[in-house]
Amino acid sequence: MAEQKDHWSSSTYQHSASFVPKLATKIVQWLDLQPDDVVLDVGCGDGILDLEFGKILAQGSGSLHGIDNSPSMIKSATDLCAKDAPKCTFEVLDATQLISCAKLQKPTFTKAFSNAALHWILRRESTRQAVFDAIHAALAPGGTLAFEMGGLGNVCEMRTALLMAVSRRVGMPAALEADPWFFPDEAWITATLEAAGFRVDKVEREWRPTRADQGGVEGWVRLMGAPLLDAVPDAERDAAVMEAVEVLREVCRNPAGGEHISYVRLRCLATKV
């Protein structure tokens, strides 16, 4: 199998998407982390939230293990937490392969958490159910799963502009094959979690227009749209970016200043039964 390209870096993420962990307040409240919790963070990214979790876990016997398929993000998380959150450990692991990772399939975690990652992880229909089955297997009886991801309608203007720019160059079938996201609604996530053996305690979808970071819509397109843009030949890629950005600068323009992106967040709290 060809090695998967790593599109992520902590510095680029902080330039164009630093708002993602900053806006996780509500799902962190739902997680209700306690000092003795043993936590699995699915799609942990660069560890910004884990650093804060580590301060709580340091007060008790708890620990955290974060997984992400980006080696550069795992390195950033490890470096960030090494000194001030030593009870947090990290591992390069694609969450779609979690079901085959024996050491993480033992029911030892009291809580599982994921923020802004599952809409990437669930991209392929064939692995969607298996991801939640694996998280369920990793949790101790009565353990909880708290997550936030993109919900139905998330970043629809960004996705539309990217698909149009890419499909004009490689065709719509190829563009759709490269589309890296899956944004479900409350009904889909509830049914999928129940099929995995969870009881869904809370689920909601919130429209949350979000101000673009210092990289603006262009920074967002280049970072978040990288898997889609990879479908375009190298010589045409910058033209595809600017075609999407030209329309997005107008569509996302806030008359009061800056650019706003139409985020829709899907949050859920579920219990292993």
Side-chain angles (χ1 to χ4, degrees), residues 2 104 268:
L104 298 181
C268 190

Side-chain angles (χ1 to χ4, degrees), residues 143-198:
T144 58
L145 165 63
F147 65 86
E148 180 173 309
M149 63 181 291
L152 184 64
N154 188 53
V155 297
C156 55
E157 74 284 20
M158 315 300 284
R159 194 179 188 185
T160 299
L162 275 162
L163 281 170
M164 291 295 289
V166 171
S167 66
R168 281 207 327 108
R169 291 161 174 84
V170 299
M172 186 58 76
L176 291 174
E177 175 63 23
D179 185 354
W181 302 300
F182 175 66
F183 302 131
D185 65 359
E186 300 94 319
W188 186 93
I189 203 69
T190 297
T192 304
L193 286 167
E194 288 176 347
F198 285 99

Side-chain angles (χ1 to χ4, degrees), residues 240-260:
V241 168
M242 296 318 298
E243 181 179 320
V245 168
E246 184 178 13
V247 67
L248 288 170
R249 281 179 174 155
E250 179 58 30
V251 170
C252 300
R253 181 174 61 86
N254 186 330
E259 299 161 342
H260 277 69

Side-chain angles (χ1 to χ4, degrees), residues 32-84:
D32 190 27
L33 187 65
Q34 301 300 310
D36 294 333
D37 276 326
V38 181
V39 183
L40 175 65
D41 186 351
V42 180
C44 61
D46 58 5
I48 295 293
L49 289 173
D50 299 313
L51 180 63
E52 298 306 312
F53 293 161
K55 296 174 183 178
I56 297 173
L57 298 172
Q59 301 170 27
S61 62
S63 61
L64 179 146
H65 189 66
I67 63 171
D68 200 289
N69 71 344
S70 166
S72 63
M73 293 298 252
I74 286 295
K75 182 180 186 305
S76 294
T78 302
D79 293 346
L80 179 67
C81 295
K83 179 180 178 181
D84 296 322

Side-chain angles (χ1 to χ4, degrees), residues 228-243:
L228 249 173
L229 293 164
D230 276 351
V232 177
D234 291 351
E236 300 179 56
R237 198 164 298 155
D238 277 342
V241 168
M242 296 318 298
E243 181 179 320

